[in-house]
Amino acid sequence: MRYIAININYNLDQDWYYRCNSVVECYNYFDGLGSGHGPRVAIYDLEKKDYLWIEEEHKKISMERINGIVFGAIQKIKQQMR
């Protein structure tokens, strides 16, 4: 799976990521979220090692957190591949 879709619920101080095969699948994941999951924040490309999209509002206030989510996801993926 090439992409990571990221959403954060700031009220509950929780964040999630979902591994996707395509950008369309990432947006379908976002569309299926309930209000308790918080807003869509970013899509990260694991092959290019860069963000395809970051919601501007969140980019200003939580880039460190977003990077932490991506780093944690990459570490978990590496562990699963062993």
mmCIF file of all heavy atoms in Angstrom, residues 3 9 32 38 40 50 61 73:
data_model
loop_
_atom_site.group_PDB
_atom_site.id
_atom_site.type_symbol
_atom_site.label_atom_id
_atom_site.label_comp_id
_atom_site.label_asym_id
_atom_site.label_seq_id
_atom_site.Cartn_x
_atom_site.Cartn_y
_atom_site.Cartn_z
ATOM 1 N N TYR A 3 -0.013 4.720 0.130
ATOM 2 C CA TYR A 3 -0.376 5.989 0.753
ATOM 3 C C TYR A 3 -0.844 5.812 2.189
ATOM 4 O O TYR A 3 -1.305 4.742 2.582
ATOM 5 C CB TYR A 3 -1.490 6.669 -0.043
ATOM 6 C CG TYR A 3 -1.141 6.869 -1.484
ATOM 7 C CD1 TYR A 3 -1.606 5.985 -2.460
ATOM 8 C CD2 TYR A 3 -0.334 7.917 -1.879
ATOM 9 C CE1 TYR A 3 -1.274 6.154 -3.793
ATOM 10 C CE2 TYR A 3 0.004 8.093 -3.213
ATOM 11 C CZ TYR A 3 -0.465 7.205 -4.165
ATOM 12 O OH TYR A 3 -0.131 7.367 -5.480
ATOM 13 N N ASN A 9 -8.487 13.878 15.713
ATOM 14 C CA ASN A 9 -9.554 14.440 16.524
ATOM 15 C C ASN A 9 -8.871 15.225 17.646
ATOM 16 O O ASN A 9 -8.361 14.641 18.598
ATOM 17 C CB ASN A 9 -10.455 13.342 17.095
ATOM 18 C CG ASN A 9 -11.606 13.911 17.882
ATOM 19 O OD1 ASN A 9 -11.473 14.943 18.551
ATOM 20 N ND2 ASN A 9 -12.735 13.245 17.837
ATOM 21 N N GLY A 32 -15.862 8.206 4.599
ATOM 22 C CA GLY A 32 -16.560 7.269 5.470
ATOM 23 C C GLY A 32 -16.394 7.538 6.959
ATOM 24 O O GLY A 32 -16.998 6.857 7.785
ATOM 25 N N GLY A 38 -12.680 13.106 13.725
ATOM 26 C CA GLY A 38 -11.988 14.352 13.421
ATOM 27 C C GLY A 38 -11.823 14.539 11.924
ATOM 28 O O GLY A 38 -12.156 13.676 11.122
ATOM 29 N N ARG A 40 -10.174 15.265 8.078
ATOM 30 C CA ARG A 40 -9.084 14.785 7.235
ATOM 31 C C ARG A 40 -7.950 15.797 7.316
ATOM 32 O O ARG A 40 -8.179 16.995 7.296
ATOM 33 C CB ARG A 40 -9.558 14.574 5.812
ATOM 34 C CG ARG A 40 -10.162 15.801 5.176
ATOM 35 C CD ARG A 40 -10.757 15.554 3.822
ATOM 36 N NE ARG A 40 -12.053 14.906 3.951
ATOM 37 C CZ ARG A 40 -12.770 14.440 2.961
ATOM 38 N NH1 ARG A 40 -12.339 14.573 1.723
ATOM 39 N NH2 ARG A 40 -13.907 13.856 3.154
ATOM 40 N N ASP A 50 6.869 11.865 0.736
ATOM 41 C CA ASP A 50 6.441 13.259 0.770
ATOM 42 C C ASP A 50 4.914 13.314 0.855
ATOM 43 O O ASP A 50 4.226 12.353 0.524
ATOM 44 C CB ASP A 50 6.911 13.982 -0.491
ATOM 45 C CG ASP A 50 6.904 15.493 -0.337
ATOM 46 O OD1 ASP A 50 6.680 16.001 0.780
ATOM 47 O OD2 ASP A 50 7.132 16.170 -1.357
ATOM 48 N N ILE A 61 -0.850 24.511 12.355
ATOM 49 C CA ILE A 61 -0.899 24.286 13.801
ATOM 50 C C ILE A 61 -0.336 22.945 14.264
ATOM 51 O O ILE A 61 -0.028 22.792 15.434
ATOM 52 C CB ILE A 61 -2.342 24.435 14.344
ATOM 53 C CG1 ILE A 61 -3.277 23.408 13.709
ATOM 54 C CG2 ILE A 61 -2.848 25.844 14.170
ATOM 55 C CD1 ILE A 61 -4.653 23.371 14.336
ATOM 56 N N ALA A 73 3.770 5.460 11.764
ATOM 57 C CA ALA A 73 3.188 4.532 10.796
ATOM 58 C C ALA A 73 4.285 3.804 10.029
ATOM 59 O O ALA A 73 4.213 2.579 9.837
ATOM 60 C CB ALA A 73 2.279 5.282 9.821
#
